[in-house]
Amino acid sequence: MNYPTEQQSISIPISAKFRDTALQFAQEQPNQQKAKLVYLNTLAVQVVNNYLQMLDISTALEASYSWDCWGRMGADVADLVLTGIGHLECRYIRTGEEVCYIPPEVLNHRFGYVVVEINQTCQEGKIRGFLPEVTTTEINLEQLQTLEFFIEHYHQFSGVQLRQWLEGIYTSQWQGIEELALQKIPQLAFRSLKVRGFEIDTPKKVWQVIEQLYPQRSWEKILPSTLLPNSDVEVTDILVHLLQTTNDEEIRWTLAEVLWTIAPNHPVITARRIMDLGMQLAGNPVALMVAILPKQDKSLAVLLRVYPMGNQSYLPTGLKLAGLYENGEPFLEVQARQQRDNYIQLKFCAELGEKFQIRVTLNNATITEKFVI
């Protein structure tokens, strides 16, 4: 839907349903002052959410801190999750006010700030403008950028926000591995129990992989005494410690793959999602998997894989997987060989704020996905 954005502000009616939700949240609070704050915060978030829905901008209201009972009670939050982008803070003012207060706890980790003027009867919210960042706890209304600027800023950042995967926030087209597997009856290649040639079906087999990665029992120098192998130590705890203390990316990804196999929902390695490309790639049954691992320097290690799906054991010959810079120039590319590859993959590291694209190509069909670290 096209909706005007070039004016400085836009008015959105506040429905009785919005007020009922705000009242429900307010009644949970310990005192009248906090109740009023939560009431107005909730109205502001709903006004912005309504406006963004008019613009066909995807939001995840229930994933927002402001929609969490403990989040509302523990902090002054009025955020709205923009799907695949981040948290947009929606701060209110009352009619006649010229200064908007920004709580210290929301000065960081926000995609931006929208100011909403709520009239005295709480029946109308006027979106006054946007700022991409704020460094002080008070902003004057004349500082605000137009809503047109907000839309431009949003489109600059559109793309899958991979750091949100570490918080468990995903867009709907990216499914969990087990979720997708449940939809497909045949055994899928990405559910293979084999890692480095070993069938990972017992703790002993897991240790065979660890011994291969850390020859001559070199793991003993890394593990604390509390994690040295004995009957009381879980092998998953050992894998997690090695994963979090090893700098070699090849070893880390192998450890992650072992964890995926024996404990697919372990919180350390759940930032892994898959997309079925069959309908998009000229009907060919393949899936794109993206996984990330945080590094100690705050960058991310990224793993890309394309798997065959359905009854196919191998990828279609000539299928290409490429990593592209933001400008579309490739920096890595791999191609499936005839009847030989049950997956192809790329690995690289990226810094906070970096943008890249993934391109999957088969004959004349191409799919490109944008990502932001």
Side-chain angles (χ1 to χ4, degrees), residues 153-270:
H153 187 68
Y154 170 81
H155 286 300
Q156 285 178 1
F157 280 81
S158 60
V160 179
Q161 297 278 325
L162 285 180
R163 282 198 175 269
Q164 289 198 343
W165 289 18
L166 299 175
E167 302 175 32
I169 301 173
Y170 310 97
T171 50
S172 58
Q173 69 267 37
W174 291 96
Q175 297 178 276
I177 302 295
E178 297 304 308
E179 179 186 357
L180 182 60
L182 287 174
Q183 300 171 14
K184 310 293 180 181
I185 296 174
Q187 179 68 28
L188 303 176
F190 54 78
R191 299 192 77 196
S192 170
L193 298 179
K194 240 178 209 189
V195 179
R196 288 209 163 201
F198 293 103
E199 291 285 348
I200 307 299
D201 52 3
T202 65
K204 182 179 179 180
K205 297 290 182 64
V206 173
W207 268 107
Q208 287 179 314
V209 175
I210 293 174
E211 291 284 2
Q212 191 180 82
L213 295 173
Y214 298 89
Q216 300 179 335
R217 299 175 65 89
S218 57
W219 46 264
E220 290 182 333
K221 300 176 182 178
I222 302 172
L223 294 176
S225 57
T226 54
L227 286 181
L228 289 177
N230 60 61
S231 58
D232 296 326
V233 174
E234 293 286 341
V235 71
T236 52
D237 294 335
I238 294 172
L239 289 168
V240 168
H241 184 85
L242 293 172
L243 182 61
Q244 294 177 333
T245 55
T246 300
N247 292 321
D248 187 300
E249 291 304 323
E250 288 297 323
I251 292 178
R252 293 181 78 226
W253 281 120
T254 302
L255 293 169
E257 194 153 8
V258 174
L259 265 177
W260 291 335
T261 304
I262 65 173
N265 295 316
H266 195 287
V268 171
I269 42 85
T270 52

Side-chain angles (χ1 to χ4, degrees), residues 275 277-282 358-361 365-369:
M275 181 193 293
L277 301 182
M279 295 301 292
Q280 303 177 64
L281 203 65
I358 298 173
R359 184 176 66 203
V360 181
T361 306
T366 297
I367 297 169
T368 303
E369 292 287 330

Side-chain angles (χ1 to χ4, degrees), residues 75-137:
D76 181 0
V77 289
D79 68 308
L80 173 64
V81 170
L82 305 184
T83 307
I85 296 291
H87 296 261
L88 176 68
E89 193 68 21
C90 312
R91 304 310 306 187
Y92 78 86
I93 59 170
R94 303 309 300 270
T95 299
E97 296 177 348
E98 296 295 323
V99 176
C100 180
Y101 173 70
I102 309 294
E105 60 260 47
V106 303
L107 289 175
N108 297 301
H109 308 298
R110 292 296 187 267
F111 167 74
Y113 302 80
V114 172
V115 176
V116 180
E117 177 187 322
I118 297 176
N119 69 359
Q120 297 305 318
T121 61
C122 295
Q123 294 187 343
E124 181 185 74
K126 185 179 291 185
I127 302 177
R128 297 295 301 268
F130 168 78
L131 283 176
E133 60 180 348
V134 169
T135 57
T136 62
T137 57

Side-chain angles (χ1 to χ4, degrees), residues 267-297:
V268 171
I269 42 85
T270 52
R272 178 176 66 134
R273 280 297 189 264
I274 196 162
M275 181 193 293
D276 185 350
L277 301 182
M279 295 301 292
Q280 303 177 64
L281 203 65
N284 287 277
V286 299
L288 171 65
M289 187 198 80
V290 178
I292 57 173
L293 290 176
K295 301 181 65 177
Q296 293 180 3
D297 63 1

